[in-house]
Amino acid sequence: MSEPGGVTPAQLRELAARAAELVDAIEAARAGLAGDSHTRHTGYRLADAAGWARQVGADLAATAEDLARLRSRGPVTCPAEWGCCPDHGGTLRSSGGRCWCVAPGCGRTWDYDRDGQPCTEPAAYEVRGVGDAPDVWGLLCAGHTITARAQVDGIEVRPLAAAAGGAR
Ligand SMILES: [Zn+2]
Ligand SMILES: [Zn+2]
């Protein structure tokens, strides 16, 4: 379980909590300055400062969630560098930190940039004929197998024979 840099989601959440404390402290200072007619105008930067600190906290929290999702991947995970719909493959669109499948009738949505992050689906098929090494069998999840079949002529696909113990 050693990870690059050893950074954990908990560490990032801790940093986000410190940013939230900073926001509170800045807001308290701002309120203190505003309560005195001699100092009222000196605090004009603090609204922006609190806003920056809020953004810092939001970015840290979002990073913690992205990292937690990656860490939760199972032992036999699809190696694709981008996410897909588990049922439809490369049919995702994303905007403003949300993602959805555009396949008719699907209706799946995700509250993160799924198509911009590595796939988190379990490997379900072995596929040959794609990528840089077309003679080698590689692993793909169900969704990415759909996309590979649609986009690449002549690929071979076989079910992954219970390599993951059937675990999902
Ligand atoms: Zn879909
Ligand atoms: Zn995949």
Side-chain angles (χ1 to χ4, degrees):
M1 285 296 285
S2 72
E3 300 288 348
V7 179
T8 66
Q11 285 174 316
L12 292 167
R13 291 190 189 107
E14 160 70 18
L15 287 174
R18 283 159 65 180
E21 289 174 9
L22 185 59
V23 171
D24 290 345
I26 293 170
E27 293 289 10
R30 186 177 161 217
L33 292 174
D36 183 323
S37 61
H38 290 292
T39 59
R40 184 178 304 154
H41 297 293
T42 62
Y44 71 93
R45 297 183 189 86
L46 296 187
D48 279 352
W52 288 119
R54 259 188 209 97
Q55 185 61 49
V56 167
D59 285 347
L60 287 164
T63 303
E65 296 319 303
D66 287 351
L67 185 61
R69 199 156 41 237
L70 282 177
R71 293 284 162 80
S72 71
R73 299 206 294 185
V76 184
T77 302
C78 177
E81 290 296 313
W82 44 275
C84 70
C85 174
D87 297 328
H88 301 105
T91 48
L92 301 185
R93 300 290 180 274
S94 63
S95 177
R98 292 182 50 75
C99 189
W100 60 95
C101 176
V102 297
C106 181
R108 282 177 181 260
T109 63
W110 295 268
D111 61 358
Y112 62 95
D113 180 22
R114 180 177 173 89
D115 64 342
Q117 297 178 14
C119 186
T120 55
E121 295 297 314
Y125 294 93
E126 290 183 285
V127 178
R128 186 162 69 176
V130 297
D132 299 331
D135 296 333
V136 177
W137 287 97
L139 300 174
L140 286 178
C141 70
H144 277 114
T145 301
I146 292 170
T147 297
R149 275 185 157 133
Q151 293 183 345
V152 185
D153 286 335
I155 68 167
E156 295 175 81
V157 175
R158 64 190 185 194
L160 186 57
R168 259 202 78 114

